[in-house]
Amino acid sequence: MPSIDDELSPLQLNRFQQLRHFLTIEGLSRKHLTDILDTADTFIEVGSRSIKKVPLLRGKTVANLFFEASTRTRTTFELAAKRLSADVLNINITTSATSKGESLSDMLRNLEAMAVDMFVVRHAQSGAPHFIAKSVTPRVSVINAGDGRHAHPTQAMLDMLTIRQHKHKFEGLKVAIVGDILHSRVARSQIQALNLLGAEEVRVIAPDTLLPPYIDQFGVKVFSSMKEGMRDVDVVIMLRLQKERMEGALLPSEQEFFRLYGLSQDKLVLAKPDAIVMHPGPINRGVEIESAVADGPQSVILNQVTNGIAVRMAVMSMAMSGQIAELTADEEVA
Amino acid sequence: MTSLIDVDAAMRDMVEKLKQLCAERNIDKPALVGIHTGGVWVARRLQSLLGWDGPVGELDISFYRDDFTRIGLNPKVKASSLPFETEGRDVVLVDDVIMSGRTIRAAMNELFDFGRPASILLVALMDVGGRDLPIQPDVVGASRRLQSNQRVKLLGPDPLAVELREKTGSS
């Protein structure tokens, strides 16, 4: 059955196969992902300067369109755009004209008329950023900041950057993704990225009720027991329990979930001694992960947050660059 | 291949001029900063010939270019690295070839984002003219005027040689 990605992933590349929008990991090549990681690496250094800004997107305008609540992701996108010297509009959708009955299309047309160059879109509906990318003018790039259960590609890429910083390569790595796989757009993007970058084995560890159907077709090994799944892994990625997306009771209780699938020190010892612990945040302490592990020496959770800015700077500048290359080529033809 | 200029002779000349200039201006132990890629090679060679110690700073000006809106991002960006304080320090900025002056403008903009240097001296192995901006080097190893279809490229890092290239077609 074709997925959203199969149908729409070519949309995010320009005719030169450069990033034009960033909507999903699927359909991209290992080189695309490596280029994003390499560019992000160069932006990390910018964060250590006395003036944490480069003039790359000076004169450009980025609009954060968050149709779904988010503080951390919106903040890091805003900071990334500002560090690239772009002007940033944060559109609060709940109080904006769409709640007064204006259609999404009219809102986008109005933002285009204000000469906005990039939309960063978060939406509860899977495929919304794709829909927007299809409808915008050639002078706008769209970045997916998380859509439904579908994808969260910048989060996946900041996770990849964090893994590469600590493990230096993906080949030979065993990575366990633990928890609420069913509702996680992050997990889906992580699995695609890890497989594309050459990880040896991607495991998912979750109760049956929190696994999507046909998960084994995603190129993962499925475990229902932490004891088995955690053995000898290099990276442990804990997921947040998406309680707001659960319809009905999928868990006996949070205490029971923590006992079986929460990351505690006694479960972490099953992984390799130098295994790193990750979590996309926000953390439910004592539910997905115990504080001693979240704040412990193997945790790289705060590195993930820092890397989020660099990755978003990379993706924004590369998408804008792809837009410019396409527009320049169009002008030469005209 | 034959180098367009005698790089070793040009480097020796640059060393003498730079020593003299630093003495005139009472500059002691300035920080050397090269512009990727050729400028870093020249800066390292200068460092060795001058016998100065300390690391050589490296600037990649890709994020500071003024033509991003025309040509986009350089796909091979390298991280800049200034492993020393530049705030209040005398800096010697080094590039391989100076032409329009736009690279130097971008490099100075970037330098100031690391801190405010006390002064900047500009050194270039070769000056080929064709300036778009009022930027002139303090020390130059060799000067040549090029025809409109000619460009030069520094090959290196060891040995250093300057190659003359002719543009073909519309590229």
Tab-separated table of all heavy atoms in Angstrom, chain B residues 10-41:
chain	number	residue	atom	x	y	z
B	10	ALA	N	58.143	34.533	-2.641
B	10	ALA	CA	57.058	35.425	-2.217
B	10	ALA	C	56.828	35.303	-0.711
B	10	ALA	O	56.626	36.308	-0.020
B	10	ALA	CB	55.776	35.089	-2.979
B	11	MET	N	56.914	34.075	-0.204
B	11	MET	CA	56.689	33.862	1.234
B	11	MET	C	57.799	34.526	2.050
B	11	MET	O	57.532	35.152	3.081
B	11	MET	CB	56.636	32.363	1.550
B	11	MET	CG	55.450	31.610	0.966
B	11	MET	SD	53.835	31.993	1.666
B	11	MET	CE	54.028	31.475	3.311
B	12	ARG	N	59.057	34.387	1.575
B	12	ARG	CA	60.180	35.015	2.296
B	12	ARG	C	59.984	36.535	2.342
B	12	ARG	O	60.201	37.177	3.361
B	12	ARG	CB	61.515	34.656	1.627
B	12	ARG	CG	61.968	33.217	1.882
B	12	ARG	CD	63.422	33.029	1.502
B	12	ARG	NE	63.666	33.226	0.077
B	12	ARG	CZ	63.540	32.253	-0.855
B	12	ARG	NH1	63.169	31.034	-0.495
B	12	ARG	NH2	63.780	32.517	-2.123
B	13	ASP	N	59.562	37.079	1.209
B	13	ASP	CA	59.318	38.521	1.116
B	13	ASP	C	58.201	38.952	2.086
B	13	ASP	O	58.304	39.971	2.779
B	13	ASP	CB	58.922	38.828	-0.350
B	13	ASP	CG	58.955	40.313	-0.627
B	13	ASP	OD1	59.796	41.009	-0.026
B	13	ASP	OD2	58.129	40.775	-1.435
B	14	MET	N	57.141	38.138	2.145
B	14	MET	CA	56.014	38.443	3.038
B	14	MET	C	56.446	38.436	4.504
B	14	MET	O	56.016	39.275	5.300
B	14	MET	CB	54.885	37.408	2.831
B	14	MET	CG	54.175	37.561	1.504
B	14	MET	SD	53.305	36.048	1.043
B	14	MET	CE	51.959	36.038	2.166
B	15	VAL	N	57.296	37.487	4.840
B	15	VAL	CA	57.766	37.373	6.225
B	15	VAL	C	58.505	38.652	6.631
B	15	VAL	O	58.261	39.221	7.702
B	15	VAL	CB	58.675	36.129	6.383
B	15	VAL	CG1	59.466	36.192	7.680
B	15	VAL	CG2	57.832	34.869	6.327
B	16	GLU	N	59.407	39.100	5.754
B	16	GLU	CA	60.173	40.314	6.079
B	16	GLU	C	59.254	41.528	6.211
B	16	GLU	O	59.379	42.318	7.143
B	16	GLU	CB	61.240	40.566	4.987
B	16	GLU	CG	62.380	39.548	4.994
B	16	GLU	CD	62.938	39.307	6.397
B	16	GLU	OE1	63.235	40.305	7.091
B	16	GLU	OE2	63.047	38.137	6.799
B	17	LYS	N	58.335	41.673	5.251
B	17	LYS	CA	57.420	42.830	5.289
B	17	LYS	C	56.541	42.798	6.554
B	17	LYS	O	56.282	43.827	7.164
B	17	LYS	CB	56.516	42.825	4.053
B	17	LYS	CG	57.223	43.232	2.762
B	17	LYS	CD	56.221	43.115	1.608
B	17	LYS	CE	56.839	43.377	0.266
B	17	LYS	NZ	55.971	42.896	-0.835
B	18	LEU	N	56.084	41.586	6.886
B	18	LEU	CA	55.190	41.455	8.040
B	18	LEU	C	55.934	41.763	9.340
B	18	LEU	O	55.412	42.464	10.220
B	18	LEU	CB	54.588	40.044	8.071
B	18	LEU	CG	53.496	39.783	9.104
B	18	LEU	CD1	52.350	40.778	8.973
B	18	LEU	CD2	52.958	38.361	8.969
B	19	LYS	N	57.181	41.268	9.449
B	19	LYS	CA	57.983	41.562	10.651
B	19	LYS	C	58.169	43.075	10.802
B	19	LYS	O	58.024	43.630	11.888
B	19	LYS	CB	59.363	40.900	10.530
B	19	LYS	CG	59.403	39.440	10.930
B	19	LYS	CD	60.849	38.966	10.803
B	19	LYS	CE	61.009	37.516	11.152
B	19	LYS	NZ	62.345	37.022	10.760
B	20	GLN	N	58.497	43.709	9.668
B	20	GLN	CA	58.753	45.149	9.674
B	20	GLN	C	57.485	45.923	10.076
B	20	GLN	O	57.523	46.830	10.897
B	20	GLN	CB	59.223	45.569	8.282
B	20	GLN	CG	59.808	46.962	8.236
B	20	GLN	CD	60.244	47.331	6.821
B	20	GLN	OE1	60.447	46.464	5.966
B	20	GLN	NE2	60.398	48.610	6.592
B	21	LEU	N	56.373	45.517	9.500
B	21	LEU	CA	55.105	46.196	9.783
B	21	LEU	C	54.710	46.042	11.249
B	21	LEU	O	54.248	46.995	11.893
B	21	LEU	CB	54.018	45.610	8.870
B	21	LEU	CG	52.720	46.378	8.731
B	21	LEU	CD1	52.947	47.798	8.229
B	21	LEU	CD2	51.769	45.641	7.788
B	22	CYS	N	54.880	44.844	11.766
B	22	CYS	CA	54.539	44.601	13.182
B	22	CYS	C	55.429	45.462	14.081
B	22	CYS	O	54.961	46.014	15.085
B	22	CYS	CB	54.712	43.117	13.536
B	22	CYS	SG	53.425	42.082	12.834
B	23	ALA	N	56.704	45.568	13.718
B	23	ALA	CA	57.627	46.382	14.523
B	23	ALA	C	57.208	47.851	14.491
B	23	ALA	O	57.156	48.519	15.528
B	23	ALA	CB	59.055	46.210	14.001
B	24	GLU	N	56.874	48.336	13.294
B	24	GLU	CA	56.443	49.739	13.154
B	24	GLU	C	55.216	50.042	13.999
B	24	GLU	O	55.062	51.124	14.544
B	24	GLU	CB	56.094	50.048	11.686
B	24	GLU	CG	57.294	50.274	10.792
B	24	GLU	CD	56.879	50.313	9.313
B	24	GLU	OE1	55.666	50.434	9.033
B	24	GLU	OE2	57.776	50.184	8.464
B	25	ARG	N	54.323	49.079	14.091
B	25	ARG	CA	53.050	49.324	14.782
B	25	ARG	C	53.034	48.795	16.217
B	25	ARG	O	51.980	48.718	16.839
B	25	ARG	CB	51.905	48.689	13.990
B	25	ARG	CG	51.760	49.289	12.612
B	25	ARG	CD	50.467	48.878	11.958
B	25	ARG	NE	50.403	49.353	10.585
B	25	ARG	CZ	49.370	49.162	9.790
B	25	ARG	NH1	48.328	48.492	10.212
B	25	ARG	NH2	49.387	49.627	8.563
B	26	ASN	N	54.197	48.364	16.688
B	26	ASN	CA	54.311	47.825	18.058
B	26	ASN	C	53.357	46.651	18.294
B	26	ASN	O	52.696	46.569	19.338
B	26	ASN	CB	54.038	48.913	19.098
B	26	ASN	CG	55.144	49.941	19.119
B	26	ASN	OD1	56.329	49.569	18.986
B	26	ASN	ND2	54.790	51.200	19.245
B	27	ILE	N	53.254	45.797	17.295
B	27	ILE	CA	52.395	44.618	17.434
B	27	ILE	C	53.269	43.429	17.820
B	27	ILE	O	54.220	43.091	17.114
B	27	ILE	CB	51.642	44.319	16.109
B	27	ILE	CG1	50.640	45.443	15.832
B	27	ILE	CG2	50.947	42.969	16.171
B	27	ILE	CD1	49.981	45.352	14.471
B	28	ASP	N	52.929	42.840	18.962
B	28	ASP	CA	53.717	41.719	19.455
B	28	ASP	C	52.844	40.463	19.477
B	28	ASP	O	51.746	40.471	20.031
B	28	ASP	CB	54.220	42.053	20.864
B	28	ASP	CG	55.171	40.994	21.380
B	28	ASP	OD1	55.889	40.388	20.559
B	28	ASP	OD2	55.183	40.766	22.606
B	29	LYS	N	53.357	39.417	18.888
B	29	LYS	CA	52.671	38.121	18.879
B	29	LYS	C	51.185	38.236	18.481
B	29	LYS	O	50.280	37.944	19.278
B	29	LYS	CB	52.791	37.454	20.244
B	29	LYS	CG	54.228	37.074	20.548
B	29	LYS	CD	54.318	36.252	21.792
B	29	LYS	CE	55.764	35.836	21.993
B	29	LYS	NZ	56.167	35.749	23.368
B	30	PRO	N	50.925	38.656	17.260
B	30	PRO	CA	49.525	38.690	16.816
B	30	PRO	C	49.003	37.270	16.550
B	30	PRO	O	49.794	36.330	16.451
B	30	PRO	CB	49.605	39.486	15.513
B	30	PRO	CG	50.980	39.246	15.006
B	30	PRO	CD	51.860	39.065	16.213
B	31	ALA	N	47.702	37.152	16.445
B	31	ALA	CA	47.091	35.851	16.129
B	31	ALA	C	46.972	35.725	14.609
B	31	ALA	O	46.469	36.632	13.952
B	31	ALA	CB	45.712	35.760	16.770
B	32	LEU	N	47.446	34.603	14.078
B	32	LEU	CA	47.330	34.365	12.636
B	32	LEU	C	46.020	33.642	12.340
B	32	LEU	O	45.706	32.621	12.967
B	32	LEU	CB	48.489	33.495	12.151
B	32	LEU	CG	49.790	34.203	11.786
B	32	LEU	CD1	50.912	33.174	11.622
B	32	LEU	CD2	49.632	34.983	10.485
B	33	VAL	N	45.271	34.163	11.383
B	33	VAL	CA	43.993	33.545	11.012
B	33	VAL	C	43.954	33.396	9.497
B	33	VAL	O	44.045	34.397	8.767
B	33	VAL	CB	42.797	34.418	11.483
B	33	VAL	CG1	41.485	33.803	11.014
B	33	VAL	CG2	42.795	34.579	12.995
B	34	GLY	N	43.830	32.162	9.006
B	34	GLY	CA	43.757	31.908	7.569
B	34	GLY	C	42.323	31.709	7.114
B	34	GLY	O	41.480	31.229	7.873
B	35	ILE	N	42.063	32.083	5.873
B	35	ILE	CA	40.725	31.880	5.295
B	35	ILE	C	40.759	30.584	4.475
B	35	ILE	O	41.639	30.405	3.623
B	35	ILE	CB	40.323	33.069	4.403
B	35	ILE	CG1	40.330	34.377	5.225
B	35	ILE	CG2	38.949	32.834	3.775
B	35	ILE	CD1	40.149	35.631	4.393
B	36	HIS	N	39.797	29.693	4.765
B	36	HIS	CA	39.748	28.406	4.045
B	36	HIS	C	39.731	28.604	2.548
B	36	HIS	O	39.064	29.487	2.071
B	36	HIS	CB	38.474	27.631	4.429
B	36	HIS	CG	38.652	26.721	5.601
B	36	HIS	ND1	39.553	25.693	5.627
B	36	HIS	CD2	38.043	26.709	6.814
B	36	HIS	CE1	39.489	25.074	6.788
B	36	HIS	NE2	38.581	25.669	7.533
B	37	THR	N	40.405	27.773	1.814
B	37	THR	CA	41.319	26.721	2.201
B	37	THR	C	42.752	27.212	2.035
B	37	THR	O	43.610	26.950	2.887
B	37	THR	CB	41.083	25.483	1.300
B	37	THR	OG1	39.720	25.121	1.341
B	37	THR	CG2	41.938	24.316	1.690
B	38	GLY	N	42.982	27.934	0.931
B	38	GLY	CA	44.335	28.361	0.607
B	38	GLY	C	44.934	29.293	1.648
B	38	GLY	O	46.139	29.221	1.952
B	39	GLY	N	44.104	30.164	2.220
B	39	GLY	CA	44.596	31.111	3.220
B	39	GLY	C	45.137	30.402	4.455
B	39	GLY	O	46.089	30.872	5.096
B	40	VAL	N	44.525	29.266	4.796
B	40	VAL	CA	44.996	28.498	5.953
B	40	VAL	C	46.373	27.905	5.645
B	40	VAL	O	47.272	27.914	6.485
B	40	VAL	CB	43.976	27.387	6.311
B	40	VAL	CG1	44.521	26.502	7.419
B	40	VAL	CG2	42.648	28.000	6.719
B	41	TRP	N	46.547	27.409	4.405
B	41	TRP	CA	47.865	26.854	4.024
B	41	TRP	C	48.944	27.927	4.114
B	41	TRP	O	50.023	27.689	4.638
B	41	TRP	CB	47.837	26.323	2.588
B	41	TRP	CG	46.894	25.188	2.362
B	41	TRP	CD1	46.378	24.353	3.306
B	41	TRP	CD2	46.357	24.752	1.109
B	41	TRP	NE1	45.540	23.435	2.713
B	41	TRP	CE2	45.517	23.658	1.373
B	41	TRP	CE3	46.500	25.192	-0.213
B	41	TRP	CZ2	44.828	22.978	0.369
B	41	TRP	CZ3	45.813	24.518	-1.219
B	41	TRP	CH2	44.988	23.424	-0.935
